[in-house]
Amino acid sequence: MKHQGVEDNYRHKGLRQNLVKTLQTKGIKDQKVLTAIMNIPRHFFLDKAFEEWAYQDVAFPIDNNQTISHPYTVARQTELLRIHKGDKILEIGTGSGYQACVLSYLGAKVYSIERQEGLFQKTYTLLRKIGYGNIRTLFGDGYKGAPRFAPFDKIIVTAGATELPKTLMNQLRIGGLLVIPVGSTEDNKKMLRIKRISEDQFTRETFGAFKFVPFLQGTNNKI
Ligand code: SAH
């Protein structure tokens, strides 16, 4: 496989092995999540200029002023979702497409929505090119979820919210999980896991603080 004229070679695989070790040191235990990270060429999701840094545990700029999340954040959110083969999952914030590929690698049926049209188009093309055309990408305002395809077994929000969006909670099936960073400042979002236990009852667990670009309402058609 090749992207932007760059192969996925042994050097990249070696760097990924080190990244996996780093993630284990930071507390990621789910072997399946680590295997997905070991097998997905993260440098394909970044500008060629960042190839050398693709396997460090850092966030990077992608188009439209957005970022690809830290590998640790991707791993932790994925771990919290407890993905099973066949899970129907909605991702809010497609961005580079990397998180969506991790979910798809684990056997989930992924719907992913992005509000930046430029990013949506770029990632749509990339996913097809690298063999992940089965991910259903949508352009729109993820604040509204994807009612056409609801209910979902899992929902993951990859942008930082200021409050829990009721609309998304209501698109979970009973027993389903929502993993979402919520907080009043950009660099201190608490990771929440919400479980829908009945039509109108939800439980909530909190896991650590993270930094995220903001979860915004509406769409942006400027490319
Ligand atoms: N999951 C991405 C992370 C991208 S950063 C990845 O793996 O690369 C968060 C993304 O959320 C940005 O692309 C931003 O444009 C998008 N976003 C923010 N608010 C949104 C909304 N209301 N609907 C859809 N996408 C949104």
Side-chain angles (χ1 to χ4, degrees):
M1 205 181 353
K2 224 177 187 182
H3 178 59
Q4 299 178 341
V6 181
E7 298 272 6
D8 182 35
N9 59 32
Y10 280 101
R11 197 172 61 84
H12 297 117
K13 287 180 187 138
L15 292 171
R16 278 206 290 284
Q17 233 148 28
N18 289 338
L19 172 62
V20 164
K21 281 191 201 128
T22 306
L23 296 176
Q24 283 175 309
T25 317
K26 292 186 178 176
I28 302 299
K29 294 191 182 72
D30 189 324
Q31 270 311 320
K32 287 190 192 145
V33 174
L34 294 168
T35 304
I37 288 175
M38 185 58 221
N39 284 290
I40 301 174
R42 188 169 183 260
H43 62 285
F44 286 179
F45 300 83
L46 298 171
D47 235 60
K48 209 176 156 183
F50 298 121
E51 190 202 338
E52 290 300 317
W53 292 282
Y55 298 105
Q56 298 190 15
D57 190 17
V58 285
F60 272 104
I62 50 178
D63 290 6
N64 293 91
N65 245 332
Q66 301 302 318
T67 57
I68 178 171
S69 303
H70 284 73
Y72 174 76
T73 305
V74 172
R76 189 68 182 125
Q77 285 197 283
T78 309
E79 194 171 62
L80 290 174
L81 283 165
R82 298 207 183 109
I83 300 294
H84 299 291
K85 266 207 175 81
D87 272 354
K88 184 174 161 192
I89 173 158
L90 175 65
E91 177 192 28
I92 315 291
T94 314
S96 68
Y98 179 69
Q99 170 77 73
C101 287
V102 171
L103 297 168
S104 174
Y105 188 93
L106 296 174
K109 181 166 175 35
V110 184
Y111 295 79
S112 182
I113 183 162
E114 174 57 55
R115 68 178 289 279
Q116 297 275 1
E117 192 169 9
L119 262 180
F120 160 76
Q121 283 182 4
K122 184 177 175 182
T123 301
Y124 174 88
T125 309
L126 173 72
L127 293 178
R128 263 141 203 83
K129 201 172 150 194
I130 63 173
Y132 282 90
N134 57 339
I135 294 171
R136 180 85 182 254
T137 51
L138 311 163
F139 169 59
D141 179 6
Y143 217 87
K144 302 190 178 98
R148 236 174 8 121
F149 303 104
F152 296 96
D153 297 302
K154 314 277 163 73
I155 300 179
I156 173 175
V157 178
T158 68
T162 49
E163 56 182 14
L164 266 180
K166 283 268 149 47
T167 321
L168 294 184
M169 290 162 68
N170 288 327
Q171 289 180 23
L172 281 176
R173 73 162 173 80
I174 292 168
L177 300 174
L178 162 67
V179 171
I180 179 171
V182 181
S184 49
T185 57
E186 227 176 87
D187 51 5
N188 186 12
K189 302 281 182 193
K190 296 283 186 305
M191 194 60 75
L192 303 185
R193 180 166 64 190
I194 308 297
K195 183 172 185 178
R196 184 171 200 178
I197 54 170
S198 72
E199 197 55 45
D200 52 7
Q201 283 175 300
F202 297 85
T203 58
R204 169 207 290 232
E205 298 164 279
T206 306
F207 304 88
F210 292 78
K211 189 177 169 186
F212 276 91
V213 296
F215 185 16
L216 301 170
Q217 297 201 38
T219 54
N220 179 5
N221 304 72
K222 280 193 220 98
I223 298 189

